Amino acid sequence: MSRFNDPNPFDEEEEVEVNPFSKGAMAVGRVPPLASEPLGFGRKHDATVDIPLDTMNDTKKKERELAAWEADLKRREQNIKRREDAVAKTGVTPNDKNWPPFFPIIHHDIANEIPVHAQRLQYLAFASWLGIVLCLVYNVIAVTVCWIQGGGVKIFFLSTIYALLGVPLSYLLWYRPLYRAMRTDSAFKFGWFFLLYLLHIGFCIVAAIAPPIVFHGKSLTGILAAVDIISNHMLAGIFYFVGFGLFCLETLLSLWVLQKIYLYFRGHK
C-alpha cells in the first residue's frame, strides 16, 4: 500500500453534496426515528377520557324542558293578547259594572275575558256562587217563617247577618280571585281561591247539619234544626227541610267545582 493514499489528518473535510432526489440521499439524510414515549399518566397508550352518558341525557332533558317552557310561555302570551283584543273590541273596560243587567253592581264578562277552554269551569264556579246566594236568601225566608210561628227574633237577625255578610264576602274572597286567576293565569290567585273555597265548603257542611251551637242551631236550615222544628211547627219544618236540601246540593256542587278547577290548575301549571 502506498502511504500517499493515506488521508491528511490536517485537511478539512470536504462537504459532500447530496442530491435530495437521489435514492442514496434517503439513506444519508434519514432521521432516526424517535423512541416511543408513553402517553397519559401511565406507561400505556390507552389514555382515554370517559364522558358519562347520564350527563348527556340530562342535558337533552333540560333542553326539552326549556323548549316546552318557552312554548308554554308563548301560548300564554298569545292567550293574554287575544283576551286583551277581545276586551278592546267590546269596548268594555275591566272596571265597568255590567252585572246584573237590571242593576249593575259588579263587572262580569266570562265570554270575552275568560279563555274559551276555561269558560265552562268559570260558569260552574259562577253557578256555585249563585247557589250560596240562593241558600242564604232562602235561609232568611225559612227562619222568618220559624220566627213567625214562635221561633224567636234572635234567629231571624242571625240569618239576616249570614246573608248580608255571606253574599258579598263569598264574591270578594273566592269568586273574584278565581275570575281573575282564570283571566290572568295567576298561580297566586289560584292558591288564594283554593284556600278560601275550602272555608266556603266547610260553612256549607255546617249549615247543612246545623249543630246546636248558637240558639239551638235554628238560625240555619240544617237537618238537625229541621227535625227539631217539624215536630212542633209543620210548615216551618218543611221550609227547613228544603233549606237542608239546598245546602246539600251546594256542598256537592262546590266539591265538584273544586275538583274540576284543581285538575285544570295542575294541568296548566
Side-chain angles (χ1 to χ4, degrees):
M1 291 179 62
S2 176
R3 58 184 179 89
F4 296 100
N5 293 332
D6 295 336
N8 187 359
F10 298 99
D11 291 341
E12 295 180 358
E13 293 183 358
E14 296 181 359
E15 295 181 358
V16 180
E17 295 182 358
V18 179
N19 186 1
F21 300 98
S22 63
K23 294 182 178 180
M26 298 297 292
V28 175
R30 184 177 300 165
V31 179
L34 296 176
S36 60
E37 297 179 358
L39 301 177
F41 297 99
R43 306 297 297 179
K44 297 181 179 180
H45 299 273
D46 56 351
T48 57
V49 178
D50 294 333
I51 300 177
L53 296 178
D54 294 340
T55 304
M56 299 177 64
N57 294 333
D58 292 342
T59 304
K60 292 181 180 179
K61 182 178 179 182
K62 290 180 180 179
E63 291 178 355
R64 289 194 298 267
E65 291 178 353
L66 181 60
W69 181 80
E70 291 178 353
D72 184 66
L73 182 61
K74 290 181 180 179
R75 179 185 60 80
R76 293 184 182 183
E77 290 177 354
Q78 292 175 356
N79 289 337
I80 293 174
K81 187 177 184 303
R82 182 183 58 80
R83 279 175 262 172
E84 291 176 351
D85 294 341
V87 173
K89 289 179 181 179
T90 57
V92 179
T93 59
N95 295 325
D96 287 344
K97 299 176 180 179
N98 58 354
W99 194 89
F102 56 87
F103 186 70
I105 56 176
I106 62 174
H107 174 77
H108 194 259
D109 193 4
I110 296 177
N112 293 318
E113 293 183 345
I114 304 301
V116 177
H117 61 277
Q119 288 182 6
R120 182 173 178 270
L121 290 178
Q122 191 64 45
Y123 279 119
L124 287 176
F126 186 56
S128 176
W129 180 68
L130 292 179
I132 191 62
V133 173
L134 176 62
C135 288
L136 292 175
V137 172
Y138 183 85
N139 185 75
V140 174
I141 297 174
V143 172
T144 302
V145 174
C146 181
W147 168 43
I148 293 174
Q149 293 188 349
V153 68
K154 293 182 179 180
I155 58 174
F156 168 75
F157 282 116
L158 281 176
S159 64
T160 304
I161 292 174
Y162 298 156
L164 292 178
L165 292 180
V167 172
L169 287 179
S170 60
Y171 174 78
L172 294 175
L173 295 180
W174 61 262
Y175 181 74
R176 189 171 68 174
L178 175 64
Y179 187 90
R180 293 180 176 178
M182 289 291 193
R183 187 176 64 182
T184 61
D185 204 13
S186 171
F188 175 76
K189 290 183 175 61
F190 271 110
W192 183 263
F193 161 76
F194 287 131
L195 177 63
L196 294 178
Y197 199 64
L198 288 174
L199 295 179
H200 157 74
I201 294 175
F203 171 78
C204 292
I205 294 174
V206 172
I209 299 174
I213 299 176
V214 180
F215 301 109
H216 304 288
K218 295 179 182 180
S219 60
L220 291 171
T221 56
I223 182 63
L224 297 180
V227 172
D228 187 24
I229 291 174
I230 198 170
S231 58
N232 298 323
H233 307 285
M234 178 64 67
L235 180 62
I238 294 174
F239 272 87
Y240 269 65
F241 270 107
V242 174
F244 162 69
L246 290 177
F247 276 114
C248 288
L249 291 177
E250 174 64 17
T251 301
L252 295 176
L253 177 61
S254 299
L255 290 173
W256 186 40
V257 170
L258 179 65
Q259 180 189 15
K260 292 293 185 181
I261 295 178
Y262 178 74
L263 293 176
Y264 171 83
F265 175 74
R266 289 295 302 271
H268 287 76
K269 298 295 172 188

